[in-house]
């Protein structure tokens, strides 16, 4: 391998739905040279995220779709080889929007966080210390305001964010109950992710009843990644002055036309709820503080973080489809060889 | 009139729906004597409130229904004639749960607020400084967090609370737009209650379009007393990080079965909304501070407060029905003769 060649995984066809391997191509081009204000990064680990589906499609999401014939948009962690930006120096490690490629020339705006050296592996910056762990920590603490002894209900509890929410709720002294879609995931979440009880909603004809049984005292916090019928039942389990964190709406594949459901206004009023929307990129200024806490929890053995690392860039094209098939065990990461 | 006789307006039959005059009776009984920990109050003004409908019915509302053959539950303002409670002295004026009667023996728990003497008339303690004005002030400021230059949308803008919200939003430097149900009320709210624009939703086939036209920049705060289709349209006019204050759900007469509507989860998430429920009696500890601000606004001529005072207890039995017919002009109050 030539040190000065950049290997890229480019999006070459617009997918409809979940991106498949054939919509990507491995392309090699010379490494670009950073200009004034830019840095050159050698990526070590690349992230595979459910949100890449939206970025690859033309769905009118939060961000513009990835242009065809350009490297797939992705979070990554790497080392700065050369810096023409005053805020960075060669030898520093950074986490940010560096794409599915071996080398990246970027401005400071692409960097989300300077990586703090610790005893944790560098790959942890994509899972525990990446947007999954940061979302769990910041959404739970900034919007959920969990207090010791309170009850926390989490949808998609075995997922990439939910697996941290249960553990962080336990660390905060709360009782966490989770919802997931299989008995296997329920057992995993109860064994490893801090949940006292798990509900397999696919195996439950009466979701409201199952929540009442698992949460006889009601819930102070509902950490919601789904919306839909799960949220309809959960909102009716809330205690007075409960907090709902809307972190995703995975239950509804389409919002055109807008799906209907039971009205929540009376629940918001009579239970004095506070229902807030959370999007992680609003909170970049708080990443370092959150990462410091998460690192310490991991070093103290209070939090587990599972990773599945695929060896080599050639695994990237099929990785999003693999994620949506649910075949990964833990945060799916690509090691750049 | 004998000074030591108490005239009461008692609920003598359980209404279905809006209480009518024939469900009440005027009864005279000796004034009770306050025991240890109790105070004797001479009521000066009695409040007539929409919530009395729920208290008189057996609706399973926030509070137990008024027992038959007891004085109608009501807020009132009066003077303490005798005090056996350490926190009160004879000669002080108080606002609280003293009922539709001339005299009331009560414990300190029945007092919501000690009346601060000012140049405002004593009756103002039932409207501007009563739960209407206090709700407008505390809900807007505690949950709405209005900042100068922001846009505030208010449902039931010409109502007992909304008429203060528009003025308080203007005082906070915001642009207020209101929704109401007639051209007459729209004109009144625009002329007197601080609203820049009013929307008569009864005269509008396309509510979302009418809101877009009246609020071309979107809204930072939605002060909602209705829920239902008005809220569905309003929530889709919210700007990023907008705040929704759920203060009432008047649009839905029944919640059994729960009415359906377009799902709000995606709006909460993508607009990063904060949607909170407000019930005034959670905020009793903040009443004095709010009343101090409201008094100063009125003395400075920054806020108007309309009152309609009915002379004499004998007007009480028909007063709730009068309120629901919309015949009153401003806060409906009964003067105790």
């Amino acid at each position: 391998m030539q040190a000065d060649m950049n290997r890229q995984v480019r999006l070459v066809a617009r997918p409809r739905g979940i991106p498949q391997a054939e919509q990507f191509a491995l392309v090699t081009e010379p490494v670009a040279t950073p200009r004034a204000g830019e840095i050159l990064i050698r990526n070590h680990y690349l992230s595979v995220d459910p949100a890449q589906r939206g970025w690859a499609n033309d769905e009118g999401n939060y961000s513009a779709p990835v242009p065809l014939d350009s490297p797939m948009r992705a979070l990554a962690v790497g080392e700065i080889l050369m810096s023409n930006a005053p805020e960075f120096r060669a030898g520093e490690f950074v986490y940010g929007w560096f794409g599915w490629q071996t080398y990246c020339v970027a401005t400071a705006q692409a960097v989300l966080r300077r990586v703090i050296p610790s005893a944790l592996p560098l790959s942890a910056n994509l899972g525990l210390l990446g947007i999954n762990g940061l979302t769990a920590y910041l959404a739970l603490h900034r919007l959920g305001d969990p207090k010791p002894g309170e009850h926390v209900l989490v949808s998609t509890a075995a997922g990439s964010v939910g697996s941290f929410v249960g553990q962080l709720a336990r660390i905060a002294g709360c009782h966490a109950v989770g919802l997931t879609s299989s008995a296997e995931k329920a057992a995993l979440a109860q064994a490893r992710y801090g949940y006292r009880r798990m509900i397999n909603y696919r195996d439950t004809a009466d979701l409201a009843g199952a929540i009442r049984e698992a949460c006889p005292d009601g819930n102070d916090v509902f950490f919601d990644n789904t919306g839909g019928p799960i949220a309809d039942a959960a909102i009716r389990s809330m205690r007075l002055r409960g907090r709902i964190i809307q972190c995703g709406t995975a239950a509804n594949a389409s919002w055109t036309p807008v799906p209907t459901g039971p009205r929540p206004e009376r629940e918001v009023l009579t239970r004095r709820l506070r229902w807030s929307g959370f999007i992680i990129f609003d909170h970049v200024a708080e990443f370092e503080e959150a990462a410091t806490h998460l690192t310490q929890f991991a070093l103290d053995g209070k939090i587990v973080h599972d990773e599945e690392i695929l060896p080599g860039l050639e695994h990237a094209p099929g990785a999003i489809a693999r994620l949506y098939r649910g075949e990964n065990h833990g945060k799916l990461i690509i090691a750049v060889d």
Side-chain angles (χ1 to χ4, degrees), chain A:
Chain A
M1 179 187 142
Q2 292 178 267
D4 55 350
M5 292 304 280
N6 183 22
R7 294 176 67 214
Q8 299 183 323
V9 178
R10 292 189 187 172
L11 183 71
V12 294
R14 189 70 65 200
R16 305 187 75 177
I18 297 164
Q20 305 295 328
E22 57 266 29
Q23 283 129 15
F24 297 95
L26 269 157
V27 177
T28 298
E29 61 165 31
V31 174
T33 303
R35 292 169 297 187
E38 292 182 335
I39 54 177
L40 172 65
I41 300 146
R42 171 62 159 88
N43 282 333
H44 284 234
Y45 294 100
L46 310 178
S47 187
V48 185
D49 288 293
Q52 286 178 302
R53 173 188 162 153
W55 304 337
N57 280 263
D58 195 350
E59 285 177 351
N61 221 304
Y62 310 118
S63 43
V66 177
L68 289 183
D69 298 313
S70 66
M72 182 58 199
R73 183 181 301 149
L75 291 160
V77 63
E79 182 183 2
I80 298 177
L81 298 187
M82 193 187 302
S83 174
N84 293 325
E87 55 269 67
F88 294 106
R89 299 194 333 195
E92 289 184 313
F93 283 80
V94 283
Y95 167 68
W97 296 107
F98 312 142
W100 275 359
Q101 53 187 340
T102 48
Y103 292 91
C104 176
V105 169
T107 64
Q109 281 73 52
V111 177
L112 287 174
R113 192 168 63 74
R114 193 178 260 107
V115 167
I116 307 151
S118 81
L120 296 182
L122 193 60
S123 57
N125 287 284
L126 295 182
L128 174 68
L129 309 178
I131 51 172
N132 296 337
L134 295 170
T135 294
Y137 183 90
L138 290 168
L140 180 65
H141 284 280
R142 295 292 182 270
L143 302 185
D145 196 19
K147 290 179 275 292
E150 285 194 332
H151 297 262
V152 177
L153 182 66
V154 183
S155 62
T156 67
S160 55
V161 173
S163 61
F164 293 124
V165 176
Q167 300 185 77
L168 291 169
R170 186 183 54 187
I171 291 170
C174 298
H175 313 296
V177 171
L179 292 143
T180 191
S181 58
S182 77
E184 187 191 6
K185 288 199 254 181
L188 179 69
Q190 204 161 331
R192 288 181 64 77
Y193 303 148
Y195 292 97
R196 289 202 173 190
R197 290 280 301 270
M198 287 293 297
I199 300 165
N200 173 3
Y201 63 83
R202 289 245 167 90
D203 194 34
T204 303
D206 173 16
L207 190 58
I211 291 175
R212 266 195 306 274
E213 197 210 317
C215 314
D217 300 314
N219 290 296
D220 301 285
V221 177
F222 174 44
F223 194 113
D224 187 22
N225 281 301
T226 63
I230 288 178
D232 299 338
I235 195 174
R236 286 162 179 84
S237 80
M238 299 303 287
R239 291 156 65 113
L240 279 190
R241 283 168 277 283
R243 287 82 66 192
I244 301 175
I245 304 161
Q246 197 72 50
C247 199
T249 60
N252 285 289
S254 169
W255 289 86
T256 316
V258 178
T260 58
R263 290 191 167 278
E265 300 97 278
R266 188 176 164 82
E267 306 305 324
V268 172
L269 175 65
T270 58
R271 298 173 195 259
R272 289 79 136 176
L273 303 180
R274 188 182 71 199
W275 187 355
S276 311
F278 182 88
I279 289 187
I280 184 65
F281 298 112
D282 293 346
H283 296 266
V284 172
E286 301 156 79
F287 281 6
E288 187 165 335
E289 183 202 332
T292 301
H293 286 292
L294 290 164
T295 299
Q296 197 58 52
F297 293 149
L299 293 176
D300 292 346
K302 291 182 181 167
I303 201 165
V304 299
H305 53 113
D306 296 335
E307 297 178 353
E308 177 173 335
I309 300 182
L310 303 177
L313 206 62
E314 63 275 19
H315 294 282
I320 301 170
R322 181 183 172 88
L323 194 70
Y324 274 92
R325 286 194 305 270
E327 293 173 1
N328 55 304
H329 298 280
K331 169 67 188 170
L332 193 57
I333 291 171
I334 293 156
V336 182
D337 44 311

